[in-house]
Amino acid sequence: MAGFNPANFTVEKAKPLPVVLLLDVSSSMGGEKINQLNAAVKEMVSDFAAAEKNEIEILVSIITFGAEVKLHTPYTSAKDIEWQDLHVSGTTPMGTAFSMAKAMIEDKEVTPSRAYRPTIVLVSDGEPNDSWQQPLRDLVNDGRSQKCDRMAMAIGSEASNSVLNEFISGTENKVFTAQDASQIQEFFKFVTMSVTTRTKSQNANNVPKPEEVEQQIEQEKSQQPDESEDEFF
């Protein structure tokens, strides 16, 4: 009979659910757009942290594209992220951001095989100014990345809906259009609900349908107390 070995009594590590944000920080995103984007992403990360369970860890990575394409936040558990505001500069090298996201997803040392199906989120208010067609096709159609859930938001009328629609092709999602900066938070509420719903599912690889997410958001709104009820006048 084998002797007692405390190393045999280990707790299974939480399984990661990766969320990759591709965020436009070009100069045209200045002012209220970047302020609302910072607030919305910060709130989403906080909600992700609250939704994490012992068996599921929401890993958030943020790639920004503007004057440069930068890994603003490598994969980090939502509860461990110390938010640093994004700042705008430069143009819109979206194709290079697609390539970076593709490389992250394909690398099994970075996005392990045991991870749940990743979600990739794209936010932009303009047209790509670099070579984007082949990087986007590679991301959407080839390898592990083609299995990711993908969501996209166009901010204002200058955003390229053709690029964003190709980005979400193969999913059940539609491009969310924010006519002004105030609607940015609505989109990230949708992203938050979609991801956190998966943490409650028996199989976190199953992505809820958009209409199911919208229903849950409406239910959550209806359950919030009406502040006016507490007022005397």
Side-chain angles (χ1 to χ4, degrees):
M1 182 176 177
F4 171 70
N5 182 356
N8 294 332
F9 301 88
T10 56
V11 177
E12 187 176 352
K13 286 185 67 177
K15 198 169 178 179
L17 197 171
V19 178
V20 180
L21 307 182
L22 306 181
L23 303 181
D24 186 343
V25 293
S26 59
S27 296
S28 60
M29 282 287 294
E32 196 58 23
K33 291 180 187 177
I34 198 66
N35 291 338
Q36 290 286 348
L37 182 62
N38 278 317
V41 175
K42 184 178 181 180
E43 182 178 355
M44 182 187 71
V45 168
S46 177
D47 289 341
F48 282 169
E52 284 187 335
K53 298 183 175 182
N54 290 336
E55 63 273 18
I56 298 179
E57 178 183 40
I58 301 176
L59 294 181
V60 179
S61 181
I62 300 172
I63 295 171
T64 57
F65 52 99
E68 61 180 340
V69 175
K70 180 181 178 182
L71 185 60
H72 175 275
T73 305
Y75 278 136
T76 306
S77 177
K79 67 180 184 300
D80 295 328
I81 290 179
E82 295 182 6
W83 179 249
Q84 297 178 2
D85 278 351
L86 308 174
H87 302 283
V88 302
S89 64
T91 52
T92 316
M94 201 182 297
T96 308
F98 292 150
S99 296
M100 181 182 285
K102 171 74 174 173
M104 282 181 56
I105 298 296
E106 299 301 331
D107 190 332
K108 294 181 180 179
E109 293 294 318
V110 179
T111 307
S113 298
R114 65 186 291 271
Y116 288 112
R117 181 182 180 187
T119 291
I120 310 178
V121 179
L122 172 62
V123 175
S124 180
D125 75 337
E127 295 266 358
N129 74 316
D130 62 352
S131 178
W132 60 269
Q133 292 91 339
Q134 193 58 50
L136 179 54
R137 291 189 193 109
D138 291 343
L139 179 68
V140 170
N141 299 318
D142 296 329
R144 303 168 81 205
S145 61
Q146 68 178 316
K147 300 176 183 177
C148 296
D149 188 35
R150 296 182 302 280
M151 305 180 199
M153 175 172 59
I155 303 175
S157 59
E158 299 298 318
S160 176
N161 276 327
S162 60
V163 176
L164 299 183
N165 275 309
E166 187 172 344
F167 176 80
I168 61 168
S169 62
T171 75
E172 295 189 49
N173 297 313
K174 296 179 180 179
V175 173
F176 183 96
T177 301
Q179 297 298 341
D180 57 58
S182 66
Q183 293 179 303
I184 292 174
Q185 283 196 307
E186 291 181 29
F187 172 71
F188 278 97
K189 283 287 185 187
F190 184 93
V191 175
T192 300
M193 186 62 76
S194 178
V195 173
T196 56
T197 296
R198 292 171 62 188
T199 68
K200 303 168 189 172
S201 170
Q202 289 185 331
N203 182 358
N205 279 320
N206 293 335
V207 176
K209 295 180 181 297
E211 56 268 25
E212 295 172 350
V213 176
E214 289 167 358
Q215 287 174 2
Q216 291 183 56
I217 292 172
E218 289 304 315
Q219 288 175 2
E220 189 177 84
K221 285 181 181 177
S222 66
Q223 292 169 1
Q224 291 176 347
D226 185 350
E227 293 182 1
S228 63
E229 294 177 358
D230 298 327
E231 297 175 356
F232 290 107
F233 301 102

